[in-house]
Amino acid sequence: MKIFSESHKTVFVVDHCPYMAESCRQHVEFDMLVKNRTQGIIPLAPISKSLWTCSVESSMEYCRIMYDIFPFKKLVNFIVSDSGAHVLNSWTQEDQNLQELMAALAAVGPPNPRADPECCSILHGLVAAVEALCKITEYQHEARTMLMENAERVGNRGRIICITNAKSDSHVRMLEDCVQETIHEHNKLAANSDHLMQIQKCELVLIHTYPVGEDSLVSDRPKKELSPVLTSEVHSVRAGRHLATKLNVLVQQHFDLASTTITNIPMKEEQHANTSANYDVELLHHKEAHVDFLKSGDNHIGGNSRDGTFKETVTLKWCTPRTNSVELHYCTGAYRISPVDVNSRPSSCLTNFLLNEPRYKIDGSLEIPLERAKDQLEKHTRYWPMIISQTTIFNMQAVVPLASVIVKEAMTDEDVLNCQKTIYNLVDMERKNDPLPISTVGTRGKGPKRDEQYRIMWNELETLVRAHINNSDKHQRVLECLMACRSKPPEEEERKKRGRKREEKEDKSEKSGKDYEPDKPWQESERLKSLLDREKEELAEAEVIKDSPDSPEPPNKKPLITMDEMPTVEKAKGPMSLLSLWSNRINTANSRKHQEFIGRLNSVNNKAELYQHLKEENGMETTENGKAGRQ
């Protein structure tokens, strides 16, 4: 259908004059207890509804089906006409529900059969209906605002459904002339107003309802064009279930609906819990659901309605839902549905089953519209690695809190806080140098270095967040937090460079360890030198970290010994082992941790002479062999 077609606005005008209080003469059994009835008690007499009650119930079923299948952009304005016009709701979306309409109708009450019929007329309601069609709806105002200077391109069409008890065909023609004249007058007023719109097309549907058993005084007439703006059609219908059936047919015509009947649904009997019977449930939906079905050439169109007349419907046989994915068929479409007989037990059971088992669908029907499903799919796949080896963040459990909420159209403050906590946790992981689940498929060696792994992770996380940055301002806050955490201070970058150099030297030392030959002691010396260089770098790194305001104080360390302080290797003793080199280094390092004994410092060949000061006083001097000699 075109945007803002006749189905965008529907005005119901229901006659509330005294003659509508007359009985429809279709009896309803009130006393249904035919079994176990006590003898001597007279059963209650059957009851019948008034023409007013039948009209209200039928129009409410029309609105229910329309609201079920089109919850938005299809609007209804309800007017009751007696001595004046009573508008029960407006075009706003908040008033578009059955609860509002039924509460307003309850406040109006039934017609007063003792009121003066000369003071009541359906014309008041028809004039108010034309005035309502000239008013702008929220959707029309939004479209006019978007088009700006081309606002006149927004169409204004509508439909008036009038339920009354007409006196004759001439009375019907008088009602049509009144509507045509009123449209002409109000279009003149709307042409000079910014708050009204001229009616470009109006469909008038006049329904003459009369009691069962009486002859109709009004003839049926198909749709006829009365003017370039107005078309009219007349339906003469008996009250009761016949009027309900007519409104059911009209709602399908007005909104391009089709019928699908689910047959052979097994249900347990209420009186006999151990037995079950098969039932049929008729569903209404948009006719596009049958397009592919009819193209396939499968002819299952047919069926009879409850009143015995032929009705076009597609029949589907019920089968027990399977949980095996192999037996499930692919979904080819998603359409909203509405049961025809909403109050019947089979319809209620089927509706509850579909709501409680959302994975089972009939004829491709879903609880959400197809457009909403496509929108959700687009949001979740804006950044979507095709294979698991191409992603890092989707392999990390720590990123799940952010990835699960960033795809939302609107985030709460709590969602933003959770995303920020996730980013801070990743920063802490990088500071601790925790490993990441980087895929090494197709690579040689150990794969990328640790800082390179985190660079890949941060780039991918930024890509994910930027894909949803236009959703809301809260998404922008998440990106700002991410970028702030990615910008590191210069001392942090310097520490990263030294870490890379250290890893490269470790790799070289491991490689040289594999090629070690015991008959070459100089290789041990080179290895020990690399270890000493590494400790020097660690000491320099500790000094940088100490300068950073957010880093803990490094532990105090004794000055490291240099290669010049190492004991010389005596060639006479032959090649020294790695154990000897390491032991000498440890002993030298330990000796620096306390004040050395002065005698050992002044010893010759590890021998120290005692009481040297006494000999000096007596004029004696020490020799190299430790014996004293007189001067």
Side-chain angles (χ1 to χ4, degrees):
M1 294 191 300
K2 299 179 180 180
I3 299 178
F4 305 131
S5 63
E6 290 82 354
S7 299
H8 177 59
K9 294 180 177 179
T10 301
V11 183
F12 265 98
V13 181
V14 182
D15 202 337
H16 195 250
C17 294
Y19 48 80
M20 293 296 289
E22 184 180 354
S23 171
C24 72
R25 299 179 187 176
Q26 187 177 74
H27 299 294
V28 178
E29 291 292 339
F30 184 74
D31 191 355
M32 301 297 294
L33 300 177
V34 295
K35 295 183 179 180
N36 301 326
R37 178 180 296 165
T38 306
Q39 295 181 356
I41 296 181
I42 302 175
L44 299 175
I47 60 175
S48 62
K49 303 176 183 178
S50 64
L51 296 178
W52 163 259
T53 301
C54 295
S55 301
V56 169
E57 290 182 349
S58 302
S59 58
M60 286 296 99
E61 273 298 288
Y62 182 104
C63 295
R64 179 192 66 80
I65 294 173
M66 186 201 73
Y67 286 146
D68 283 349
I69 302 177
F70 301 100
F72 304 103
K73 295 187 178 181
K74 307 299 180 185
L75 310 176
V76 170
N77 192 266
F78 214 94
I79 300 176
V80 173
S81 180
D82 43 29
S83 58
H86 308 280
V87 181
L88 303 186
N89 68 331
S90 64
W91 293 121
T92 60
Q93 191 64 52
E94 290 77 10
D95 290 346
Q96 301 301 312
N97 58 81
L98 289 181
Q99 289 75 17
E100 292 285 341
L101 293 178
M102 295 179 72
L105 288 170
V108 172
N112 184 7
R114 291 180 294 275
D116 186 5
E118 298 297 331
C119 298
C120 300
S121 175
I122 192 66
L123 292 176
H124 302 299
L126 292 175
V127 173
V130 174
E131 294 177 355
L133 290 179
C134 291
K135 295 180 180 179
I136 302 176
T137 66
E138 296 175 348
Y139 300 102
Q140 289 176 323
H141 176 70
E142 181 180 355
R144 284 160 58 97
T145 304
M146 294 177 61
L147 291 177
M148 298 298 290
E149 65 274 3
N150 297 323
E152 67 277 359
R153 295 171 55 186
V154 178
N156 185 34
R157 304 175 179 85
R159 182 180 290 113
I160 300 175
I161 302 177
C162 177
I163 304 178
T164 184
N165 181 263
K167 299 176 182 178
S168 61
D169 290 338
S170 59
H171 185 205
V172 171
R173 286 193 293 272
M174 184 269 293
L175 298 179
E176 293 173 340
D177 294 339
C178 175
V179 173
Q180 183 175 356
E181 183 178 352
T182 305
I183 291 176
H184 180 71
E185 294 176 356
H186 281 77
N187 277 347
K188 290 182 179 179
L189 297 176
N192 300 320
S193 175
D194 294 334
H195 305 287
L196 300 175
M197 295 182 67
Q198 291 182 316
I199 300 176
Q200 298 174 348
K201 194 71 175 179
C202 177
E203 290 185 3
L204 177 62
V205 181
L206 289 171
I207 301 177
H208 165 68
T209 182
Y210 58 96
V212 175
E214 290 188 2
D215 294 333
S216 176
L217 301 178
V218 177
S219 304
D220 286 346
R221 194 188 66 205
K223 183 181 294 187
K224 178 183 178 181
E225 183 175 324
L226 303 180
S227 71
V229 179
L230 180 65
T231 60
S232 174
E233 57 185 284
V234 181
H235 302 274
S236 182
V237 187
R238 289 175 292 174
R241 66 173 180 269
H242 306 285
L243 180 60
T245 302
K246 173 57 68 173
L247 266 298
N248 183 279
V249 173
L250 289 177
V251 72
Q252 296 183 52
Q253 294 176 356
H254 294 164
F255 296 96
D256 293 334
L257 305 182
S259 170
T260 297
T261 302
I262 314 300
T263 62
N264 298 328
I265 303 176
M267 297 183 185
K268 292 184 178 181
E269 295 288 347
E270 292 180 333
Q271 292 82 4
H272 307 284
N274 295 329
T275 61
S276 62
N278 293 337
Y279 295 92
D280 298 345
V281 175
E282 183 181 1
L283 305 174
L284 295 180
H285 49 78
H286 200 276
K287 65 169 54 176
E288 290 181 357
H290 287 167
V291 172
D292 294 335
F293 181 79
L294 297 176
K295 287 181 179 179
S296 64
D298 197 348
N299 188 10
H300 282 78
I301 300 179
N304 295 324
S305 62
R306 291 178 299 178
D307 56 2
T309 59
F310 181 82
K311 185 175 183 180
E312 186 176 293
T313 182
V314 173
T315 59
L316 295 179
K317 185 178 180 181
W318 175 267
C319 62
T320 303
R322 305 292 184 183
T323 58
N324 188 0
S325 60
V326 178
E327 301 181 13
L328 293 178
H329 297 285
Y330 293 104
C331 177
T332 59
Y335 303 91
R336 299 181 69 93
I337 62 174
S338 179
V340 174
D341 193 357
V342 68
N343 293 321
S344 67
R345 181 171 173 267
S347 297
S348 178
C349 292
L350 179 61
T351 302
N352 292 332
F353 177 81
L354 292 177
L355 293 177
N356 294 330
E357 300 291 340
R359 68 176 60 182
Y360 303 136
K361 307 291 182 266
I362 295 179
D363 198 25
S365 301
L366 292 172
E367 287 79 12
I368 60 176
L370 179 60
E371 293 301 323
R372 187 185 304 176
K374 290 181 178 179
D375 184 62
Q376 291 182 356
L377 181 62
E378 187 274 332
K379 287 185 175 65
H380 283 76
T381 56
R382 286 179 186 175
Y383 177 70
W384 190 259
M386 297 303 297
I387 56 178
I388 202 66
S389 60
Q390 291 181 347
T391 179
T392 300
I393 59 176
F394 290 108
N395 294 328
M396 300 174 60
Q397 190 67 26
V399 186
V400 172
L402 185 148
S404 59
V405 299
I406 199 67
V407 297
K408 290 183 178 180
E409 185 175 357
M411 296 174 60
T412 62
D413 293 335
E414 184 178 359
D415 293 336
V416 176
L417 181 60
N418 291 334
C419 292
Q420 292 175 345
K421 288 181 179 179
T422 302
I423 296 173
Y424 296 150
N425 290 336
L426 295 176
V427 173
D428 189 57
M429 288 177 58
E430 185 178 13
R431 186 182 299 276
K432 296 178 181 178
N433 211 19
D434 292 342
L436 295 180
I438 297 291
S439 175
T440 58
V441 177
T443 60
R444 301 180 60 181
K446 296 183 179 180
K449 301 295 182 181
R450 191 65 49 84
D451 57 339
E452 178 67 15
Q453 295 178 10
Y454 276 94
R455 188 189 65 81
I456 295 173
M457 184 273 293
W458 287 118
N459 289 341
E460 187 178 6
L461 188 62
E462 181 181 347
T463 302
L464 173 63
V465 176
R466 286 190 180 276
H468 303 274
I469 190 177
N470 295 326
N471 290 4
S472 67
D473 295 337
K474 292 183 172 60
H475 290 76
Q476 177 69 31
R477 289 169 53 187
V478 176
L479 179 63
E480 292 174 356
C481 176
L482 175 61
M483 300 308 296
C485 292
R486 288 205 64 179
S487 58
K488 301 180 177 63
E491 59 269 15
E492 183 73 12
E493 293 296 334
E494 185 66 23
R495 187 176 68 87
K496 288 288 184 181
K497 292 180 180 179
R498 288 195 299 273
R500 286 194 296 269
K501 292 180 180 179
R502 184 171 62 248
E503 290 182 358
E504 292 175 357
K505 290 182 178 181
E506 288 179 355
D507 292 343
K508 292 180 180 179
S509 62
E510 291 179 2
K511 184 176 180 180
S512 62
K514 296 179 181 178
D515 300 334
Y516 170 72
E517 296 180 6
D519 57 344
K520 294 183 180 180
W522 61 270
Q523 293 181 353
E524 297 294 341
S525 250
E526 291 296 329
R527 180 173 178 82
L528 183 59
K529 184 177 179 180
S530 65
L531 294 175
L532 294 175
D533 292 340
R534 176 181 174 183
E535 291 197 3
K536 288 181 181 180
E537 292 178 358
E538 288 179 352
L539 180 60
E541 177 182 340
E543 292 298 329
V544 174
I545 296 177
K546 181 179 179 181
D547 294 337
S548 179
D550 57 348
S551 301
E553 187 71 15
N556 293 328
K557 291 186 178 181
K558 296 293 183 178
L560 298 177
I561 61 172
T562 60
M563 288 300 297
D564 297 335
E565 296 174 338
M566 289 291 296
T568 57
V569 180
E570 299 182 10
K571 298 182 179 180
K573 296 182 179 180
M576 294 184 64
S577 65
L578 179 61
L579 177 61
S580 300
L581 291 172
W582 183 255
S583 299
N584 292 336
R585 178 183 179 277
I586 294 297
N587 293 335
T588 305
N590 290 337
S591 65
R592 299 183 64 85
K593 295 180 181 179
H594 59 83
Q595 186 174 0
E596 187 57 81
F597 177 53
I598 190 170
R600 183 179 293 110
L601 292 176
N602 298 330
S603 65
V604 178
N605 296 330
N606 289 331
K607 293 182 181 181
E609 186 174 358
L610 301 178
Y611 312 114
Q612 293 186 15
H613 63 286
L614 295 178
K615 294 181 179 181
E616 291 176 357
E617 292 176 358
N618 296 328
M620 304 290 290
E621 63 178 359
T622 58
T623 60
E624 293 182 359
N625 56 5
K627 294 183 180 182
R630 186 170 299 269
Q631 294 180 350

